[in-house]
Amino acid sequence: MEPTKRNAEWDQKVFETLRAGNTLEVAAADAGYSKTALYRHLYEYPMFCNKSVLLKTEAEAAALALVMKAAAQWNLKSGEANC
């Protein structure tokens, strides 16, 4: 049965999953909640929502930086101009 109330352990699991670059749906499932419950908590708790958005944004920026670095290295190895 799905827990009905938020707690620090649940929040931490959601935050860790988002920090790793996963979606909100994956974070909810990983913490044992439905995506409906997660979206309800995002709506009802602005601080929880803000931190979740921040962690998703940081994870996306880190992933983009990794792709850009790999692309730059590939351009150098292939002899292409490094733009």
Side-chain angles (χ1 to χ4, degrees), residues 32-77:
Y33 282 77
S34 68
K35 66 180 182 180
T36 303
L38 177 62
Y39 284 110
R40 184 176 58 250
H41 293 313
L42 291 169
Y43 178 77
E44 292 175 355
Y45 301 97
M47 295 295 286
F48 176 73
C49 182
N50 291 343
K51 185 165 183 177
S52 297
V53 170
L54 176 65
L55 292 171
K56 281 188 59 55
T57 303
E58 289 174 351
E60 289 170 4
L64 179 59
L66 186 61
V67 168
M68 296 299 289
K69 181 179 178 182
Q73 290 174 346
W74 182 82
N75 283 340
L76 288 174
K77 291 178 183 175

